[in-house]
Every structure is written in C-alpha cells, then in structure tokens.
Amino acid sequence: MESYLNQNFGGVKSKHSSEEALQRWRNLVGVVKNPKRRFRFTANLSKRSEAAAMKRTNQEKLRVAVLVSKAALQFIHGITPSEYTVPAEVQAAGFQICADELGSIVEGHDLKKMKAHGGVAGLANKLSTSVSDGLVATEDSLKRRQEVYGVNKFAETQLRSFWVFVWEALQDTTLIILAVCAFVSLIVGIATEGWPRGAHDGLGIVASILLVVFVTAISDYRQSLQFKDLDKEKKKISIQVTRNGFRQKISIYDLLPGDIVHLSIGDQVPADGLFVSGFSVLINESSLTGESEPVVVNTEYPFLLSGTKVQDGSCKMLVTTVGMRTQWGKLMATLSEGGDDETPLQVKLNGVASIIGKIGLFFAVVTFAVLAEGLLRGKYQDGSYLSWSGDDALELLEYFAIAVTIVVVAVPEGLPLAVTLSLAFAMKKMMNDKALVRHLAACETMGSSTTICSDKTGTLTTNHMTVVKACICGNIKEVGNSEKAVSMCSALPDVVVETLLQSIFNNTGGEVVINQDGKLEILGTPTETALLEFGLSLGGNFQAVRQESSLVKVEPFNSLKKRMGVVIQLPGGGYRAHCKGASEIILAACDKFLDTEGNIVPLDEASISHLKSTIESFANEALRTLCLAYVELENGFSADQPIPVDGYTCIGIVGIKDPVRPGVKESVAICRSAGITVRMVTGDNINTAKAIARECGILTDDGVAIEGPEFREKSLEELNDLIPRIQVMARSSPLDKHTLVKHLRTTFNEVVAVTGDGTNDAPALHEADIGLAMGIAGTEVAKESADVIILDDNFSTIVTVARWGRSVYINIQKFVQFQLTVNVVALIVNFSSACLTGNAPLTAVQLLWVNMIMDTLGALALATEPPNNDLMKRAPVGRKGNFISNVMWRNILGQSFYQFIVIWYLQTEGKGLFRLEDPSSDATLNTLIFNTFVFCQVFNEISSREMEKIDVFKGILDNYVFVGVIATTVIFQVIIVQYLGDFANTTPLTLMQWFASVFIGFLGMPIAAAVKLIPI
C-alpha cells in the first residue's frame, strides 16, 4: 500500500507543490461519497488559476496607469488643475479635502494636483494633522475622521453558518441512498404493518442519518471557527505612528488618513500615503504592479502604495487613503485565492480512503448479491418467486440498505478530515504556546524535521542588549552601569567624547523620544537601543547632538554589508561620515585611530594587533562587538555620492552583552535526544558565535564552526564532506544561509526548519521545508515568507512546535490504525456472514452507529491527544518515513484477527453458549454480537492510544476529549440496546449478557498488549 501511495499520492510536497501533482491525486479520487466535505480543506485549483489571471490583469492595468501618469507629468507642467471644491459634509467635519480627491492624488501619481493642494505640508494641513506631531487622537475626532475617510479594513468572506455545514454533510451520496431506502421502508412498512409498527425500521435509519449528519456538522463547524480565529491572529500587524506628538505602536486596522507612519526596511506599507522625510527608500511594488525592479521614493516621487514592501531605507509617511479605497484593497476585493495547498498527509489519507473505498464497494456488491440470491433461491424453492409480499420487499430493501451501509462504514471519509481536525486542534494549542502557524502543512512537516538552522540573536539569546565593555583610545574599560560609564567618560579627552556621542546619536536607526508619561524612551532594534543607552549613560543629549548637525545621507544597516553609514554636515559647514558595524570589517576600513590624548595617529602593526586581540577577547566572552569610526570629507559631499568605504579613523570598539535565553540549553539537549541537529547561523563574529554555541550546547568537540566567506570558497566535493559536520556558521550572508539550507534539503535529504527575522532571510525561509519567522524582531517581509511565526522569538518555542508536529503525525497514525481495524472487521464479519449464513448480523442502523464511533468520534478522541515528552525521545520520521508502518499493520491484523474470531464464534456457537432457546433467540444473539462488536471498538480505541507501549492509561484522564468520547459512546450504546430496540433492531440484554459483552471487548486489550510484544 505504501509504495502505491508514494507512487500516486507522493508528489505533493509540504510547500511549492506543482499544479500537475495537485491535479493528479484529484483525478485518482474522482468518485467520492461527499466531495463538498472531502475537499473542503483542499485548494480550489480552478479558482486559483482564475485569481492568478485576474491578478495579472489588475497588475497590468495598474502598471500601465503608473506609466501613463509618469509620462503625462512630462506634458502637463503648463496646465493649471481645475479648482477643487470641498464637499460640505467634509468641511463640516473639520477637514478641507475629501477621500476621493486624496485617492486620486496617490493612485494617479498626480504631482501637479498634489502641489496645487500645497504639497505634503498643505495636504497635512487640510487633513488637520501635523507632519511632526501627527493627528490629535481624541475619541470624537477619530470617529469623525472614520466617517469621512473610512477604516483601514478590507472586505472579508463571511463566516459560513452552522446550517451550511449540515447541508454539506447531507450531500453524502450513500446517506442520500439510505434516506431513499428509509423512505421506501416507511411506505412499504406502514402499508403492510400499519402505524407505528411498520415505521420503526425506516425511522431508525432516518434517526441514524440525522445523528451522523449533526455530529459531523458540529465537528466541521468547530474546525471552521478555529481556522477563523487563527486567520484573525495572522492579520494582527502593528505599526509605529506619531499621534498627539508621541511615538506609539498601533494596529494597522486603526490607521486613519492624517496619521504619520514610521516605516523601515522589511515593513509592508499599511495604507496609501505620501513620503514626508527619510533616507535611501527603495520600495518593492511587485505585489501590486508585477514589476520586480524597486522604486526609489523621495520628495520628487513621494507616492507610497498599500501592500508594497520597504526594500531598503526608512521614512515617515503621511497616510492619505485607507482600506477598500486603496489599490491594494481593490485588488484584494477581486481576488478569491482558492485556499492553501493540501498537506502531504491529507493527500496520502485521501489515497488510503480511495483504496479502502474500492475494496468496500466490491464487498458491498458481493454481500448484496449473496443476500439477494439467498432470498430468491428460497422463493424459488417455495415456488413463490412470482408472488412478492410487502415483507419480501422490505427484506430485499434491508439487504440493499446493509450493502449501502457497508460502503458507508468501508469508505473512511473521515481520514483526510481527521488530519485537518488534528492540525486545527494543534494550531489552536500552539497559539497558546506562542507559535502562530500560517500554513497547515508546516505543523505536520515540523514533526518530521531533522535539522533546525537557528539565528543566534534574539532566538538563542534574550535580545536584551547592553554595552558592558568598551575600548576607546586604546583603553579597555567595563561600562556595564552608569557609574562605570561616567568614570570612563571623565578619563577621556573632550574631543573624543564629542566624536563618540556624535557617532552614536547620528549613526543610528533608533531614536530617543519623550513618551506620554514624560520619560525618555529609546526606540529601535536591541543593538541600536544598547548603543543609545550607552551614549545617554556617558551624559549625552540625543536631541542636542542631532540638532548640532544635519543628516545628508543615511545607508541603513543590512546583513550583506554588515555596516551602517551616515554623512552629516557639521556646524562649520564641513562634512563628516560615520560608520559602524562588524568590528573586523570596519577596522579593515581604518588607517588611523584616536590615541589616549585624542590625537589622530596612523594605525601601526602594534595598534592593529592590540585592537584585533581586543575584538577576540570580547568575542570569547560571548560579547557582540561593534567598531565605530569616522572620516572627514574635505572635498565636500552630495547626497548622490556613495559613502566612502575606507580611510576611516577608529573611534573605538564596544562589547555588547546579549545573555543566552533561559531554557535554551535544555531545549537543544531535547532536540539532540529527538534526533534533530541544531545549527547556529549568525552574522556575528565567529568567536562570539562559538562562545554562545558552547553555552547553548550546540557546538560539540567534533563539530565545525566556519565563517561565511570561507564557506563560499568551498568546492561542491568539499561542501558534501563539510556540511554534515557544520554546527556554527558565523559572519554569514543571507545567500550562505540559503546555500546551506538548499544543500541540506537536496543533497542530504534532510527536513530543514530555518529561523529568520530580516528581509534578507526571506529566500532561506522560502527554500526551507519550514520557515520560522520571529514575531517580535521579524520584519513583515520575513513573516510573509514564513510558515510559522514564533511570537516570543524563543528557541524553546521552536522545540514546542516540533513536539506538536510529531504529536499530529502520531495521532493520525493512531486514528488510522483504529479506523482500519474497524473497517477490516466490519467488512469481513458482514461479508462472511452473508456468504455462509445468508443474513448479516449488523443492521444498517447499527452499522451507521459503528461508523460514527470510528469516524467522527474516533477522530475527536485520538486525533486530539496532547503531546507528551516521550515524543522527543524517538528518531524523526524524516523525508522517507512510511506513514502506515509495519508496527501499525501488526496491530491492525492482530486486533482484527481476535475480533473476527470472537464475532464468528458468537455467530456459530452463541446460542449454545448463552442458552438462548426462546423464539427471540436470533434477535438476542444479533444484539449480543452488535454489543460485543461495539465494546471491542471502545477498548481498541483505548489500546490505540499507544502503538508500541503496553501502558495505554498513562495521562488518559488529562485528555478530557478522549474520556468524554468514550463515556458518550458507552452511554449511547446502553440507550440503543436497552431502550431503542424497535428502531435499532436490538432487544434488551440481561446483566450477565452485558458483562459477557464488555468482558469480551476488554479481552482485546491484553491481546493488543501481547501483539505489541511481537518484534517487527
């Protein structure tokens, strides 16, 4: 079976599956009982291709509109725009421009119209806002603004009601046939036996169908609610704005025209707007226009469109248009994505359901043929084959209903949906454990992962950084608290302190602001925050230093260059460039340094050696090292020129402490015991990386630590030998990370999980089997490329995701094992009985009840087992693991054999065993067989909690769902047998007969335990 599944259903991957592979498995399972339900959580390929075509059309329209507007600008400089009249309702609300006019400026890229309104400052004024302080946010003013300009929300699909799920559950072909059988049974029964006796059989089937339908619909509806909640979580994005003169974080859905938004590299533009101020801004508009070439945005071309990404630089933006008025909103309204790709496990289980369904259909046809032949033969022998009574018709109808019900039981329609149930349950629980799963398949794939490539900063470490050591003017000092910093400051020449503060406060992506409580607040990345805190502890004043000079050019830090640079114009008119970054890179760009007197002296061998040994000693103490340097630009400077890359004067080196997160060492040890290799991939200094890796337990004695530049130089043969031993890669570029991941996946067949937070990590996150983005430090671009978002940026949460992934995989295996056992026994019992005795011991109503026990209720019980620590003590499944393992086949065949022998023995010897001699002995025996069969499944369900361990009761009371399902099954079984005899074809049993049924069912547990001892 496994080879058939791999051959026909194995082409679907956890991500980036080909259209051909997705279509192939659909063709193989073309005939299903209920396509609406079976394919609910699979991608709608036709809708998807329609959406792609529509997106291409919209992109082309927008691209042409942009090009036309740009071309038109060349010709319309002489034309004066027509006078704009402010609508009365807009004026009454306190604004001087309406939403449509604002929309036409940005959407049409209309510079002329913008200038007619007074430029960005004029528009801000008309929107009753300030480009420096933002809008005044009182409840009343925000409400008025919303009424005039709308809210920043997009049209969403309505949640389907419960009755839609009921209707979909009713679409099952076999249930429809059974309903027709029930209807005919009612008419014939009432006609021959009268009301109410003649209606019992028909009403029994109707009641069973309704029970199946409602239980199915409730289960499906709950799943849809869980997915809706998760979808809301995915869309929670916060953005930095200035309101009431203060910087603050708000949800993008609370943005309004007039807001001043702060954008930086990796952000998604949350609404249409205009550039206010900023540096080196490159915008990727491919999501809107399809153009891959980034657009430079500045005061000459100030248009920022919602849904586009900041590829480089940072800026302030004035929001002009929000929600459905934006181009992005209009695009989203026209698109219907067609859903996520189905997961590999869903596809495999569709394959299993398809195979078993065909076998079941064959058995059903043969069973009906054998039963009908028995009836016809009897009538032929009696000579009454030409005269048919109502009873004969009812009997034939009952045989047909049994055959149809065998198909209901045999086709495990619930198998693929059990995956979705389990994944939805796991995703909901993982949200509580600080992991947001964006794609269903990631949850499942994470359970098979064999390698985790993790960042260092913020994932393995706390990301709470402080400067604890500094080497300024050649002297190394500890500066871990303000007293030590002040002490070092007093020992330095004034000119050095002035240059150091100028470097810290100007060459930064962060800011020091006064918050709403009137206190100083530092904004920016943890590294920037640590440096700014160090500058303040030296007695510096951020605003005063910034106002002394003006910024001419900013080149933000990125992980390729590993440096950041600015050029400032000094008060005297001269220009100076400051840069900071990876210590060895910046030091290599220096040819001078500041000595103890504050003089600029050339760097000689001794000085270089001293500074390099300082970097190394800092790094060996697990400190991140940064070098600060500057250069005087004596020939002037313009913003079009690049910032110099050499000729710098070294100001000093700082060592930043970023402690290892609590629990990381234990989590790495858990991964090792689970057969998962953890590799650290970082942009940091190799000695810092090695020190942290040893502290975390990642770097072992036989492991290799390598630098990115050295890794890049290796040949393919050398890489094949080296990659399995790499545990640390330092000074890596995003391309190195991508190369490592690609080799691990393709050459070594590893299932790779990768963490990332920056824009440049997107290719590696996309390439990996599971991309894990950081929720706190991660950019929107990284999050969009990821499959799972780690909300607390903690490595221990990644291990939790792996544990849940394994739990999903194992739970589905348990459920499949349980369901296949019921399938095999129900099929063989009814088929063999029909062939050998001429009647079926299990009626249609009874089989429907059995179907619900094993399908919906079984999935609820077994597919929602929470993970235990033992899961992380077994080897990972990896890429080649068999889903239906030999262990499962052993358990299925062992349990099926026991159940079949017991049921068959009861059928042949049951009357003598229980001394049944009265006229109702057949009905009592069939009830006993039905009762015993159900209790065999109840105890088999408990045995299925563990596929290899004998102790199946461990933690059973912690799983309330499991206990609830077992209790519900037993209670309903008692009611069906004792009180619903007319409808379910049962007769009440004595206490002794109940004890015997339960005991025979219970015996299945020691049998299951004994079977588990058989070696595989």
Side-chain angles (χ1 to χ4, degrees), residues 723-775:
I723 284 175
R725 294 183 293 123
I726 290 177
Q727 290 176 339
V728 175
M729 192 192 287
R731 288 290 179 237
S732 69
S733 70
L735 190 61
D736 297 330
K737 199 182 209 178
H738 184 267
T739 306
L740 177 65
V741 171
K742 196 169 183 180
H743 273 285
L744 283 167
R745 286 187 72 238
T746 54
T747 312
F748 299 98
N749 232 0
E750 302 262 7
V751 179
V752 185
V754 170
T755 70
D757 51 18
T759 307
N760 292 320
D761 287 327
L765 291 170
H766 192 262
E767 174 67 32
D769 293 289
I770 311 103
L772 303 155
M774 300 298 113

Short mmCIF file of all heavy atoms in Angstrom, two decimals, residues 723-775:
data_model
loop_
_atom_site.label_atom_id
_atom_site.label_comp_id
_atom_site.label_asym_id
_atom_site.label_seq_id
_atom_site.Cartn_x
_atom_site.Cartn_y
_atom_site.Cartn_z
N ILE A 723 29.41 19.92 5.19
CA ILE A 723 28.07 20.34 5.68
C ILE A 723 27.52 19.47 6.81
O ILE A 723 27.01 20.02 7.79
CB ILE A 723 27.08 20.46 4.50
CG1 ILE A 723 27.38 21.75 3.73
CG2 ILE A 723 25.62 20.46 4.97
CD1 ILE A 723 26.57 21.95 2.46
N PRO A 724 27.64 18.13 6.76
CA PRO A 724 27.08 17.34 7.88
C PRO A 724 27.73 17.67 9.23
O PRO A 724 27.12 17.45 10.27
CB PRO A 724 27.38 15.89 7.47
CG PRO A 724 27.57 15.93 6.00
CD PRO A 724 28.16 17.26 5.68
N ARG A 725 28.97 18.20 9.20
CA ARG A 725 29.68 18.47 10.46
C ARG A 725 29.54 19.93 10.91
O ARG A 725 29.95 20.27 12.01
CB ARG A 725 31.16 18.12 10.31
CG ARG A 725 31.37 16.60 10.09
CD ARG A 725 32.84 16.23 10.00
NE ARG A 725 33.47 16.76 8.81
CZ ARG A 725 34.54 17.56 8.82
NH1 ARG A 725 35.10 17.92 9.95
NH2 ARG A 725 35.06 18.01 7.69
N ILE A 726 28.99 20.80 10.05
CA ILE A 726 28.87 22.23 10.42
C ILE A 726 27.84 22.37 11.54
O ILE A 726 26.71 21.93 11.44
CB ILE A 726 28.45 23.10 9.22
CG1 ILE A 726 29.58 23.20 8.19
CG2 ILE A 726 28.04 24.50 9.67
CD1 ILE A 726 29.21 24.00 6.95
N GLN A 727 28.26 23.02 12.62
CA GLN A 727 27.33 23.31 13.73
C GLN A 727 27.17 24.81 13.94
O GLN A 727 26.15 25.26 14.48
CB GLN A 727 27.85 22.66 15.02
CG GLN A 727 27.73 21.13 14.98
CD GLN A 727 28.32 20.45 16.20
OE1 GLN A 727 29.16 21.02 16.90
NE2 GLN A 727 27.92 19.21 16.44
N VAL A 728 28.18 25.59 13.50
CA VAL A 728 28.12 27.05 13.62
C VAL A 728 28.60 27.67 12.32
O VAL A 728 29.66 27.29 11.81
CB VAL A 728 28.99 27.56 14.79
CG1 VAL A 728 29.00 29.09 14.82
CG2 VAL A 728 28.51 27.01 16.12
N MET A 729 27.81 28.60 11.77
CA MET A 729 28.29 29.41 10.65
C MET A 729 28.20 30.87 11.07
O MET A 729 27.11 31.37 11.34
CB MET A 729 27.48 29.16 9.38
CG MET A 729 28.17 29.77 8.16
SD MET A 729 27.13 29.83 6.70
CE MET A 729 27.11 28.12 6.26
N ALA A 730 29.35 31.53 11.14
CA ALA A 730 29.41 32.92 11.59
C ALA A 730 29.68 33.84 10.40
O ALA A 730 30.10 33.38 9.33
CB ALA A 730 30.50 33.08 12.63
N ARG A 731 29.44 35.14 10.59
CA ARG A 731 29.63 36.14 9.54
C ARG A 731 28.99 35.67 8.22
O ARG A 731 29.55 35.81 7.15
CB ARG A 731 31.13 36.43 9.32
CG ARG A 731 31.79 37.22 10.43
CD ARG A 731 31.31 38.66 10.44
NE ARG A 731 31.94 39.42 11.53
CZ ARG A 731 31.26 40.06 12.47
NH1 ARG A 731 29.94 39.98 12.50
NH2 ARG A 731 31.87 40.76 13.39
N SER A 732 27.82 35.06 8.36
CA SER A 732 27.15 34.51 7.17
C SER A 732 26.30 35.59 6.51
O SER A 732 25.74 36.45 7.18
CB SER A 732 26.29 33.32 7.55
OG SER A 732 25.19 33.77 8.30
N SER A 733 26.19 35.49 5.21
CA SER A 733 25.28 36.37 4.46
C SER A 733 23.98 35.59 4.24
O SER A 733 23.96 34.37 4.38
CB SER A 733 25.90 36.73 3.11
OG SER A 733 25.92 35.58 2.28
N PRO A 734 22.90 36.27 3.86
CA PRO A 734 21.65 35.54 3.57
C PRO A 734 21.83 34.47 2.49
O PRO A 734 21.19 33.42 2.54
CB PRO A 734 20.72 36.65 3.08
CG PRO A 734 21.23 37.89 3.73
CD PRO A 734 22.72 37.73 3.78
N LEU A 735 22.74 34.73 1.54
CA LEU A 735 22.98 33.75 0.47
C LEU A 735 23.64 32.48 1.03
O LEU A 735 23.33 31.37 0.60
CB LEU A 735 23.87 34.37 -0.62
CG LEU A 735 23.99 33.55 -1.90
CD1 LEU A 735 22.63 33.37 -2.57
CD2 LEU A 735 24.97 34.21 -2.88
N ASP A 736 24.54 32.65 2.03
CA ASP A 736 25.18 31.48 2.66
C ASP A 736 24.12 30.62 3.33
O ASP A 736 24.15 29.39 3.25
CB ASP A 736 26.19 31.93 3.73
CG ASP A 736 27.33 32.73 3.14
OD1 ASP A 736 27.67 32.48 1.98
OD2 ASP A 736 27.88 33.61 3.84
N LYS A 737 23.19 31.29 4.02
CA LYS A 737 22.11 30.58 4.72
C LYS A 737 21.28 29.79 3.71
O LYS A 737 20.95 28.62 3.92
CB LYS A 737 21.24 31.61 5.45
CG LYS A 737 20.37 31.06 6.56
CD LYS A 737 19.54 32.19 7.14
CE LYS A 737 19.21 31.99 8.58
NZ LYS A 737 18.44 33.11 9.14
N HIS A 738 20.96 30.44 2.60
CA HIS A 738 20.16 29.82 1.54
C HIS A 738 20.89 28.60 0.96
O HIS A 738 20.29 27.54 0.74
CB HIS A 738 19.87 30.86 0.45
CG HIS A 738 18.98 30.36 -0.64
ND1 HIS A 738 19.47 29.80 -1.80
CD2 HIS A 738 17.63 30.30 -0.75
CE1 HIS A 738 18.46 29.43 -2.57
NE2 HIS A 738 17.33 29.73 -1.96
N THR A 739 22.21 28.76 0.72
CA THR A 739 23.01 27.67 0.15
C THR A 739 23.05 26.48 1.10
O THR A 739 22.88 25.32 0.68
CB THR A 739 24.46 28.16 -0.13
OG1 THR A 739 24.38 29.33 -0.95
CG2 THR A 739 25.29 27.10 -0.82
N LEU A 740 23.27 26.75 2.39
CA LEU A 740 23.32 25.68 3.40
C LEU A 740 22.00 24.91 3.43
O LEU A 740 21.98 23.67 3.41
CB LEU A 740 23.63 26.29 4.78
CG LEU A 740 23.65 25.32 5.96
CD1 LEU A 740 24.79 24.31 5.83
CD2 LEU A 740 23.77 26.06 7.29
N VAL A 741 20.90 25.66 3.46
CA VAL A 741 19.57 25.03 3.52
C VAL A 741 19.32 24.18 2.27
O VAL A 741 18.84 23.04 2.37
CB VAL A 741 18.46 26.12 3.67
CG1 VAL A 741 17.08 25.51 3.51
CG2 VAL A 741 18.58 26.81 5.01
N LYS A 742 19.67 24.73 1.12
CA LYS A 742 19.43 24.02 -0.15
C LYS A 742 20.21 22.71 -0.19
O LYS A 742 19.67 21.66 -0.58
CB LYS A 742 19.84 24.93 -1.32
CG LYS A 742 19.28 24.46 -2.65
CD LYS A 742 19.48 25.50 -3.73
CE LYS A 742 18.84 25.03 -5.03
NZ LYS A 742 19.01 26.00 -6.10
N HIS A 743 21.49 22.75 0.23
CA HIS A 743 22.32 21.53 0.24
C HIS A 743 21.77 20.50 1.22
O HIS A 743 21.72 19.30 0.90
CB HIS A 743 23.77 21.87 0.60
CG HIS A 743 24.58 22.27 -0.59
ND1 HIS A 743 25.04 21.37 -1.52
CD2 HIS A 743 25.01 23.47 -1.02
CE1 HIS A 743 25.72 22.00 -2.46
NE2 HIS A 743 25.71 23.28 -2.19
N LEU A 744 21.37 20.96 2.40
CA LEU A 744 20.84 20.03 3.41
C LEU A 744 19.58 19.33 2.88
O LEU A 744 19.39 18.13 3.09
CB LEU A 744 20.51 20.77 4.71
CG LEU A 744 21.70 21.15 5.60
CD1 LEU A 744 21.27 22.15 6.67
CD2 LEU A 744 22.31 19.92 6.27
N ARG A 745 18.74 20.08 2.18
CA ARG A 745 17.48 19.52 1.68
C ARG A 745 17.69 18.59 0.49
O ARG A 745 17.11 17.51 0.43
CB ARG A 745 16.52 20.64 1.26
CG ARG A 745 15.90 21.39 2.42
CD ARG A 745 14.85 22.37 1.96
NE ARG A 745 13.65 21.66 1.52
CZ ARG A 745 13.15 21.77 0.31
NH1 ARG A 745 13.71 22.53 -0.59
NH2 ARG A 745 12.04 21.10 0.00
N THR A 746 18.51 19.03 -0.47
CA THR A 746 18.62 18.27 -1.72
C THR A 746 19.66 17.17 -1.65
O THR A 746 19.38 16.00 -1.92
CB THR A 746 18.93 19.22 -2.90
OG1 THR A 746 20.10 19.99 -2.57
CG2 THR A 746 17.78 20.16 -3.16
N THR A 747 20.87 17.53 -1.21
CA THR A 747 21.96 16.53 -1.21
C THR A 747 21.81 15.53 -0.08
O THR A 747 22.05 14.34 -0.25
CB THR A 747 23.33 17.25 -1.10
OG1 THR A 747 23.37 18.31 -2.06
CG2 THR A 747 24.48 16.29 -1.36
N PHE A 748 21.42 16.02 1.10
CA PHE A 748 21.40 15.16 2.29
C PHE A 748 19.98 14.73 2.68
O PHE A 748 19.79 14.06 3.70
CB PHE A 748 22.10 15.86 3.46
CG PHE A 748 23.54 16.17 3.18
CD1 PHE A 748 23.92 17.43 2.76
CD2 PHE A 748 24.50 15.18 3.27
CE1 PHE A 748 25.24 17.72 2.47
CE2 PHE A 748 25.84 15.46 2.99
CZ PHE A 748 26.20 16.73 2.58
N ASN A 749 18.98 15.16 1.91
CA ASN A 749 17.58 14.72 2.13
C ASN A 749 17.07 15.03 3.53
O ASN A 749 16.25 14.29 4.07
CB ASN A 749 17.45 13.23 1.83
CG ASN A 749 16.31 12.97 0.86
OD1 ASN A 749 15.64 13.91 0.43
ND2 ASN A 749 16.10 11.73 0.51
N GLU A 750 17.59 16.08 4.13
CA GLU A 750 17.14 16.48 5.47
C GLU A 750 15.82 17.26 5.36
O GLU A 750 15.55 17.90 4.34
CB GLU A 750 18.19 17.39 6.13
CG GLU A 750 19.56 16.76 6.26
CD GLU A 750 19.81 16.19 7.65
OE1 GLU A 750 18.87 16.16 8.45
OE2 GLU A 750 20.95 15.77 7.91
N VAL A 751 15.03 17.21 6.43
CA VAL A 751 13.84 18.07 6.52
C VAL A 751 14.26 19.26 7.39
O VAL A 751 14.55 19.10 8.57
CB VAL A 751 12.64 17.33 7.16
CG1 VAL A 751 11.44 18.26 7.27
CG2 VAL A 751 12.29 16.10 6.33
N VAL A 752 14.35 20.44 6.76
CA VAL A 752 15.03 21.58 7.39
C VAL A 752 14.04 22.65 7.85
O VAL A 752 13.19 23.09 7.07
CB VAL A 752 16.05 22.21 6.41
CG1 VAL A 752 16.85 23.31 7.09
CG2 VAL A 752 16.99 21.14 5.85
N ALA A 753 14.20 23.06 9.11
CA ALA A 753 13.48 24.22 9.64
C ALA A 753 14.49 25.35 9.78
O ALA A 753 15.61 25.12 10.24
CB ALA A 753 12.87 23.89 11.00
N VAL A 754 14.11 26.56 9.38
CA VAL A 754 15.03 27.70 9.40
C VAL A 754 14.36 28.87 10.09
O VAL A 754 13.18 29.15 9.85
CB VAL A 754 15.42 28.11 7.96
CG1 VAL A 754 16.18 29.42 7.95
CG2 VAL A 754 16.28 27.04 7.32
N THR A 755 15.11 29.55 10.96
CA THR A 755 14.57 30.77 11.58
C THR A 755 15.12 31.98 10.85
O THR A 755 16.22 31.94 10.29
CB THR A 755 14.96 30.88 13.07
OG1 THR A 755 16.35 31.14 13.17
CG2 THR A 755 14.64 29.61 13.82
N GLY A 756 14.36 33.06 10.86
CA GLY A 756 14.82 34.29 10.22
C GLY A 756 14.01 35.46 10.72
O GLY A 756 12.86 35.31 11.12
N ASP A 757 14.62 36.66 10.70
CA ASP A 757 13.88 37.84 11.13
C ASP A 757 13.98 39.00 10.14
O ASP A 757 13.13 39.85 10.09
CB ASP A 757 14.33 38.31 12.53
CG ASP A 757 15.83 38.47 12.63
OD1 ASP A 757 16.50 38.54 11.58
OD2 ASP A 757 16.35 38.52 13.77
N GLY A 758 15.04 39.00 9.33
CA GLY A 758 15.26 40.14 8.43
C GLY A 758 14.68 39.93 7.06
O GLY A 758 14.30 38.82 6.67
N THR A 759 14.61 41.01 6.29
CA THR A 759 14.11 40.97 4.91
C THR A 759 14.96 40.02 4.08
O THR A 759 14.45 39.29 3.23
CB THR A 759 14.17 42.38 4.31
OG1 THR A 759 13.49 43.26 5.20
CG2 THR A 759 13.54 42.45 2.95
N ASN A 760 16.27 40.03 4.32
CA ASN A 760 17.18 39.20 3.52
C ASN A 760 17.07 37.71 3.84
O ASN A 760 17.65 36.88 3.14
CB ASN A 760 18.64 39.66 3.72
CG ASN A 760 18.86 41.04 3.14
OD1 ASN A 760 18.36 41.35 2.07
ND2 ASN A 760 19.57 41.89 3.86
N ASP A 761 16.38 37.39 4.94
CA ASP A 761 16.20 35.97 5.30
C ASP A 761 15.08 35.33 4.47
O ASP A 761 14.92 34.10 4.49
CB ASP A 761 15.85 35.82 6.79
CG ASP A 761 17.05 36.08 7.68
OD1 ASP A 761 18.17 35.75 7.25
OD2 ASP A 761 16.87 36.61 8.78
N ALA A 762 14.30 36.15 3.77
CA ALA A 762 13.13 35.63 3.05
C ALA A 762 13.47 34.48 2.09
O ALA A 762 12.75 33.48 2.07
CB ALA A 762 12.42 36.78 2.31
N PRO A 763 14.57 34.56 1.29
CA PRO A 763 14.86 33.43 0.38
C PRO A 763 15.10 32.10 1.12
O PRO A 763 14.62 31.05 0.69
CB PRO A 763 16.14 33.88 -0.35
CG PRO A 763 16.14 35.36 -0.24
CD PRO A 763 15.50 35.67 1.07
N ALA A 764 15.83 32.15 2.25
CA ALA A 764 16.09 30.92 3.03
C ALA A 764 14.81 30.40 3.66
O ALA A 764 14.57 29.19 3.70
CB ALA A 764 17.15 31.19 4.10
N LEU A 765 13.97 31.30 4.16
CA LEU A 765 12.68 30.89 4.76
C LEU A 765 11.80 30.23 3.70
O LEU A 765 11.09 29.27 3.96
CB LEU A 765 11.95 32.10 5.35
CG LEU A 765 12.57 32.75 6.59
CD1 LEU A 765 11.88 34.06 6.90
CD2 LEU A 765 12.48 31.83 7.80
N HIS A 766 11.88 30.76 2.49
CA HIS A 766 11.09 30.24 1.37
C HIS A 766 11.61 28.88 0.93
O HIS A 766 10.85 27.97 0.62
CB HIS A 766 11.16 31.25 0.22
CG HIS A 766 10.18 30.99 -0.86
ND1 HIS A 766 10.51 30.32 -2.02
CD2 HIS A 766 8.86 31.28 -0.98
CE1 HIS A 766 9.45 30.22 -2.79
NE2 HIS A 766 8.43 30.80 -2.19
N GLU A 767 12.94 28.71 0.93
CA GLU A 767 13.58 27.48 0.48
C GLU A 767 13.38 26.33 1.46
O GLU A 767 13.24 25.17 1.07
CB GLU A 767 15.08 27.73 0.28
CG GLU A 767 15.93 26.52 -0.05
CD GLU A 767 15.62 25.92 -1.43
OE1 GLU A 767 15.26 26.68 -2.34
OE2 GLU A 767 15.74 24.70 -1.57
N ALA A 768 13.36 26.65 2.76
CA ALA A 768 13.30 25.62 3.81
C ALA A 768 11.98 24.87 3.77
O ALA A 768 10.98 25.36 3.26
CB ALA A 768 13.49 26.27 5.18
N ASP A 769 11.98 23.66 4.37
CA ASP A 769 10.73 22.91 4.50
C ASP A 769 9.78 23.65 5.43
O ASP A 769 8.57 23.66 5.23
CB ASP A 769 11.02 21.51 5.06
CG ASP A 769 11.79 20.67 4.07
OD1 ASP A 769 11.21 20.26 3.06
OD2 ASP A 769 12.99 20.45 4.29
N ILE A 770 10.36 24.23 6.50
CA ILE A 770 9.56 25.03 7.44
C ILE A 770 10.32 26.32 7.71
O ILE A 770 11.44 26.30 8.25
CB ILE A 770 9.31 24.32 8.80
CG1 ILE A 770 8.82 22.91 8.60
CG2 ILE A 770 8.33 25.11 9.65
CD1 ILE A 770 9.86 21.87 8.83
N GLY A 771 9.72 27.44 7.33
CA GLY A 771 10.31 28.75 7.63
C GLY A 771 9.71 29.28 8.92
O GLY A 771 8.49 29.34 9.07
N LEU A 772 10.59 29.64 9.88
CA LEU A 772 10.12 30.13 11.18
C LEU A 772 10.55 31.59 11.32
O LEU A 772 11.74 31.89 11.41
CB LEU A 772 10.75 29.30 12.31
CG LEU A 772 10.51 27.79 12.25
CD1 LEU A 772 11.60 27.04 12.99
CD2 LEU A 772 9.16 27.42 12.84
N ALA A 773 9.59 32.51 11.31
CA ALA A 773 9.91 33.94 11.44
C ALA A 773 9.71 34.38 12.88
O ALA A 773 8.88 33.83 13.61
CB ALA A 773 9.03 34.77 10.52
N MET A 774 10.49 35.39 13.27
CA MET A 774 10.38 35.90 14.63
C MET A 774 9.26 36.94 14.73
O MET A 774 9.18 37.85 13.91
CB MET A 774 11.71 36.55 15.05
CG MET A 774 12.89 35.59 15.04
SD MET A 774 12.66 34.22 16.20
CE MET A 774 12.50 32.84 15.12
N GLY A 775 8.40 36.76 15.72
CA GLY A 775 7.23 37.64 15.86
C GLY A 775 7.57 39.02 16.36
O GLY A 775 6.91 39.99 16.00
#
